[in-house]
Amino acid sequence: MELRRSSFYSTLDLVPQLEHYASTLPHSKSRPSLEALRRAFEVSIEVPNTTTDSGVSSLPTTDSGNEESQSPKEKAPVRFGWVTGVMIRCMLNIWGVILFLRLSWIISQAGILLTCLIILMSVTVTSVTALSISAIATNGRVISGGAYFMISRSLGPEIGGPIGMVFSFANALACALNTVGFAEVVRDLMLEFGVVMVDKDSDVRIVGVITVTILLLISMAGMEWESKTQILFFIVLMVSFSNYLVGTFISHGPEKEAQGIFGYRSDIFISNLKPDWREPEGTFFQMFAIFFPSAIGILSGANISGDLKDPATAIPKGTLMAIVWTTVSYLVISVTVGSCVIRDASGNISDIMTGNVTDGCVDLGCTLGWNFTECIQSKSCKYGLVLGQISGFYYLITAGVFAASLSSALGFLVSAPKVFQCLCRDKIYPYIGFFAKGYGKNDEPLRAYILCYVIAVAFILIGKLNTIAALISNFFLCSYCLINFSCFHASITNSPGWRPSFHYYSKWTALFGAVISLVLMFRLTWWAALVTFSIIFFLFGYVNYNKPKVNWGSSVQAGTYNMALSYTISLSGVEDHVKNFRPQCLVLSGPPNQRPALVDFVGSFTKHISLMICGDIIMEATDWLVKWMNKRKVRSFYTPFTADTLRYKTQLLGIYLSSASGLGKLKPNTLVLGFKSNWRDSSPESIEDYINTIYDTFDSNYCLCILRMMDGLDVFDQFDFEVNQGFESDESVENDDQPSPERVSGEQIKTVFQNDQGKKTIDVYWIADDGGLTLLVPYLLTKRKRWHSCKVRVFIVGDEQNMVEGRNEMIALLKRFRLDFNDVIVMTDSEKHPHSKNLNRFVDSVAPFMLHDEQQECVSVQAMRQSAPWKISDKQFEAFRLKVMHSFDSCHVVFLPVPQSDCPSALYMAWLDALTCGLHCPAVLIRGNQQNVLTFYCQ
């Protein structure tokens, strides 16, 4: 055993084992991690000898227990094979009361041929669905939950949850319907003996409640007792069938002939081949609607999948065999009863004909010596194609009716709680977790049994179940539709995880089954179909809104991947065009929850419009930040890169820009970062790294946006910390006891970009033509509800002589761009000297970085410039001093100047600081990549 567990190459490595892949089990084994394998030498040094008393080396493996292990004193749960667990159970539910009480009446209306067609059409739907069930059931381990489990794990909780709820309710109602059918037969039998408890309707209710109570006790006794009861019902049905077949061959006297039973005759068979619609509603689809509910029992075996020994084998084999045998039985009974019984008979022996007088006699009975003309013309014939009369012993047929109705009721009573228990355990809907608890060795859902019993009793007491019967058929058809669609969808997604061991299915037959089930829903009862879909859509909307935290690897995920991959590849072949330009932003946010203002700002103009990627260069990647953004409703990717040192961080940033952090055309074209507000107190190296980021952005032909917040929400130095710190006024940043990531991820700090901006102004300083990005971002902001009422003012540079002309030209240009910006302000004081206060502040900010090269030799200056590139020469200072401009107090979008290649980092940093200092509102420095992002042409 030890040799089997350890690998030949390593004592830590393990050979492939089944337990390693059962990750969903509570005590599953796990293979060692890559880190453990790579550090195996260190572990062996620290723990040189780890042997057991037997001398065998112990391995660092987890508990070897699995789901099947049981304590010696605990009795193993009962598990069923494919015969008793699936086939017999499905056959009993398919053989319902319709077989004994309605099949011969359908033949009298539709004839033998159309009745066989109705049977085959129903079988086609159920067979295709059974093939889909078999494929899904063999694509991995199926636990309890039946149809709900299969649909939910294939199409996800959004579809699975509503179907689980509706399917559980439908099974409970089907239990009530079959119980009422049994109670009506008992009531009629009591009337034959003159026994009446209260009245006809009340007797049905009383018998029904007593019956469903007994069935509940059988169910709660355990699956073992329930299975034995079903086998007993199956034996009774077999005896009843045998009794019927014997009755078709035995000789018949005048009493039977008066009821229309004459034995096998070719003329009777030919007469009953064609339809003879009797009632106003007698149509082919009306007969189909009456017969089809008898075929809904094919899911009975799958619904107890948790109690099967091998569901992957039992469900396909048992379900398909049940369909074959029940189809044969229905066809045999249709042909035999249609060959033995005429359509109409009075039951009166006095209607026998004497002699050969046939004047005024109609129908086939005349040639057989009976005159049933009177009852035929008055439509009062009580006998004819009535299955119950063909039997060797009449009351054995009654016993068959009892067995068929009770077995179906018991099967539905067991199925509903099993499905509902699985739904409750998935925690998709609130307030139903109480019913998830299981009891005993078979994990019986006793609480769910009680709930199903209460629902069944309630509808039995109502008594008027004809309307509910139509809903039940639609509920089951809806389940069939989604099962088939699940199989089809899983097949077309080409997911590597779709590998069913059952190969006798086709995605096209599954699609056909889904479509035909949908058509039948509306063709049978259109209003019931609308009610069904209304319920499904309501439950779907609830689940989709709450987005339960489950991941079942559904085919919807695979389909989404296929669509994204296909569209991304096709997009790669599309050339860029200015009309389709979108600011696809790579946001150097660090941990997004540490800079919510930066994240909210970019999300304000990219949500539902363009790509947003939050980039983070940190010591350790964390997944909870994605949850933080989802909770904040920020539509963005989060891409963390790990780095150990500052040097690697700077290199990774270059990789960010060069690789574009995207896929094909879905790659960023705009870099967004926060303003380095503490640059004066930072080390010169960190300033150099920050400015190099900007330089690398321009060198990579990226657009650039820098956000500055002056109200305490500014960014700390992202290069000085492994995990970037928060905002200046955030007390938690200054606290030594940092909160845990799990707690921080749940916090949602509100920023100014989440508020309704009202009628504020957005001032755009479009001083340099960058291609139009400086105008496009404010336009996208105003398309948001929170910014919709804001007024955009565009500031341009001009002179007093041509101020009006310059303003009109800009307004005309904005109209050509179809931008609703009409407020244009011409600044005519751009050539004036800055205020002395601002100039002094600028001089003071760069003073620590001055080189004063006039006082040193040229060689020394060059050497110092190489060792300290952030140093500023007097010549450079004089060149940039006159460019400093002070902005006005408003919400600002300011042009971002492009530095020359020899501009020192400290000087450029002081320049950016001077452009935005003193503002108490968000200021955005924007620079396009000099390529058009706006156009006024339509082509």
Side-chain angles (χ1 to χ4, degrees), residues 510 565 585 645 746 760 794 818 890:
L565 181 62
C585 298
T645 65
K760 295 180 181 179
V794 179
R818 302 172 307 283
S890 182

Side-chain angles (χ1 to χ4, degrees), residues 537-572:
F537 285 141
F538 173 77
L539 296 174
F540 169 81
Y542 178 85
V543 178
N544 192 57
Y545 177 78
N546 285 278
K547 297 188 183 303
K549 297 179 180 179
V550 295
N551 184 10
W552 294 327
S554 65
S555 61
V556 174
Q557 294 173 328
T560 303
Y561 175 86
N562 281 355
M563 291 176 61
L565 181 62
S566 176
Y567 286 134
T568 303
I569 293 175
S570 62
L571 187 63
S572 299

Side-chain angles (χ1 to χ4, degrees), residues 376-435:
I376 292 174
Q377 293 177 346
S378 62
K379 298 182 180 179
S380 60
C381 295
K382 297 181 179 180
Y383 294 91
L385 281 173
V386 180
L387 179 61
Q389 307 301 320
I390 306 179
S391 60
F393 183 66
Y394 172 73
Y395 291 105
L396 282 181
I397 294 295
T398 304
V401 175
F402 287 173
S405 57
L406 290 176
S407 63
S408 297
L410 183 58
F412 288 123
L413 182 61
V414 171
S415 297
K418 294 283 186 180
V419 175
F420 192 64
Q421 182 188 38
C422 184
L423 174 65
C424 295
R425 287 179 173 174
D426 287 338
K427 299 179 181 179
I428 295 178
Y429 295 103
Y431 313 119
I432 61 175
F434 174 80
F435 300 99

Side-chain angles (χ1 to χ4, degrees), residues 576-587 598-599 601-614 635-637 660 665-672 701-705 770-784 924 926-929 931-934:
D576 294 331
H577 194 280
V578 61
K579 288 198 301 183
N580 296 324
F581 175 85
R582 298 168 186 260
Q584 302 185 136
C585 298
L586 171 59
V587 187
L598 188 62
V599 173
F601 163 66
V602 181
S604 297
F605 64 86
T606 60
K607 189 175 184 180
H608 301 296
I609 293 178
S610 60
L611 177 68
M612 175 181 174
I613 299 177
C614 288
R635 297 176 66 89
S636 170
F637 296 101
K665 296 292 184 180
L666 292 177
K667 61 182 180 181
N669 53 31
T670 304
L671 185 71
V672 184
N701 203 31
Y702 266 45
C703 304
L704 180 63
C705 291
D770 61 345
L773 183 67
T774 307
L775 292 177
L776 182 61
V777 170
Y779 167 76
L780 295 177
L781 282 176
T782 57
K783 302 302 290 183
R784 299 300 180 190
V924 185
I926 297 182
R927 187 73 191 208
N929 61 355
Q931 297 178 4
N932 290 344
V933 301
L934 296 175

Side-chain angles (χ1 to χ4, degrees), residues 98-99 101-119 244 268-278 287-288 290-291 329-344 384-387 390:
I98 291 178
L99 173 66
L101 302 182
R102 288 291 181 269
L103 182 59
S104 59
W105 177 76
I106 293 174
I107 297 172
S108 69
Q109 297 258 352
I112 297 175
L113 293 179
L114 290 184
T115 300
C116 291
L117 179 61
I118 289 172
I119 295 172
Y244 160 74
I268 295 178
F269 174 75
I270 295 173
S271 175
N272 290 331
L273 279 178
K274 297 181 180 181
D276 183 12
W277 310 114
R278 303 297 183 87
M287 297 300 106
F288 181 84
I290 293 173
F291 176 82
S329 64
Y330 273 116
L331 292 175
V332 168
I333 291 174
S334 299
V335 173
T336 53
V337 73
S339 303
C340 298
V341 186
I342 62 176
R343 277 191 166 95
D344 301 291
L385 281 173
V386 180
L387 179 61
I390 306 179

Side-chain angles (χ1 to χ4, degrees), residues 96 112 310 558 701 725 748 796 830:
I112 297 175
D310 184 10
N701 203 31
Q725 299 300 315
Q748 294 293 333
I796 61 174
S830 59

Side-chain angles (χ1 to χ4, degrees), residues 11 60 85 92 120 152 336 358 413 500 575 613 693 714 771 840 884 922:
T11 57
L92 288 173
L120 293 177
S152 62
T336 53
T358 59
L413 182 61
E575 296 184 3
I613 299 177
T693 301
D714 203 356
N840 292 335
V884 178

Side-chain angles (χ1 to χ4, degrees), residues 219-471:
S219 301
M220 297 184 69
M223 289 298 298
E224 190 172 2
W225 282 94
E226 188 268 348
S227 179
K228 292 178 180 179
T229 304
Q230 293 284 34
I231 293 176
L232 176 62
F233 288 148
F234 183 76
I235 294 174
V236 173
L237 274 173
M238 291 297 100
V239 173
S240 180
F241 284 151
S242 301
N243 173 66
Y244 160 74
L245 292 176
V246 170
T248 61
F249 288 99
I250 62 176
S251 58
H252 301 281
E255 292 184 358
K256 291 292 185 180
E257 291 182 354
Q259 296 175 359
I261 304 172
F262 293 91
Y264 289 103
R265 293 181 61 96
S266 60
D267 51 354
I268 295 178
F269 174 75
I270 295 173
S271 175
N272 290 331
L273 279 178
K274 297 181 180 181
D276 183 12
W277 310 114
R278 303 297 183 87
E279 301 175 5
E281 66 274 10
T283 61
F284 175 81
F285 277 101
Q286 185 67 28
M287 297 300 106
F288 181 84
I290 293 173
F291 176 82
F292 184 78
S294 66
I296 64 178
I298 62 170
L299 296 177
S300 300
N303 285 339
I304 63 163
S305 53
D307 298 300
L308 301 176
K309 294 178 181 178
D310 184 10
T313 302
I315 292 176
K317 187 184 295 185
T319 305
L320 293 174
M321 288 299 294
I323 292 176
V324 169
W325 289 117
T326 52
T327 301
V328 170
S329 64
Y330 273 116
L331 292 175
V332 168
I333 291 174
S334 299
V335 173
T336 53
V337 73
S339 303
C340 298
V341 186
I342 62 176
R343 277 191 166 95
D344 301 291
S346 63
N348 297 325
I349 299 180
S350 60
D351 287 338
I352 191 171
M353 297 175 61
T354 57
N356 295 324
V357 179
T358 59
D359 295 339
C361 184
V362 296
D363 202 48
L364 181 62
C366 302
T367 61
L368 300 175
W370 291 83
N371 187 357
F372 301 127
T373 304
E374 182 178 353
C375 75
I376 292 174
Q377 293 177 346
S378 62
K379 298 182 180 179
S380 60
C381 295
K382 297 181 179 180
Y383 294 91
L385 281 173
V386 180
L387 179 61
Q389 307 301 320
I390 306 179
S391 60
F393 183 66
Y394 172 73
Y395 291 105
L396 282 181
I397 294 295
T398 304
V401 175
F402 287 173
S405 57
L406 290 176
S407 63
S408 297
L410 183 58
F412 288 123
L413 182 61
V414 171
S415 297
K418 294 283 186 180
V419 175
F420 192 64
Q421 182 188 38
C422 184
L423 174 65
C424 295
R425 287 179 173 174
D426 287 338
K427 299 179 181 179
I428 295 178
Y429 295 103
Y431 313 119
I432 61 175
F434 174 80
F435 300 99
K437 185 175 178 58
Y439 297 87
K441 58 187 179 181
N442 273 64
D443 196 30
E444 296 291 343
L446 300 185
R447 297 176 179 178
Y449 278 135
I450 299 297
L451 177 63
C452 180
Y453 169 77
V454 171
I455 295 174
V457 168
F459 282 94
I460 289 172
L461 293 177
I462 292 174
K464 307 296 183 181
L465 296 179
N466 290 337
T467 303
I468 303 300
L471 278 176

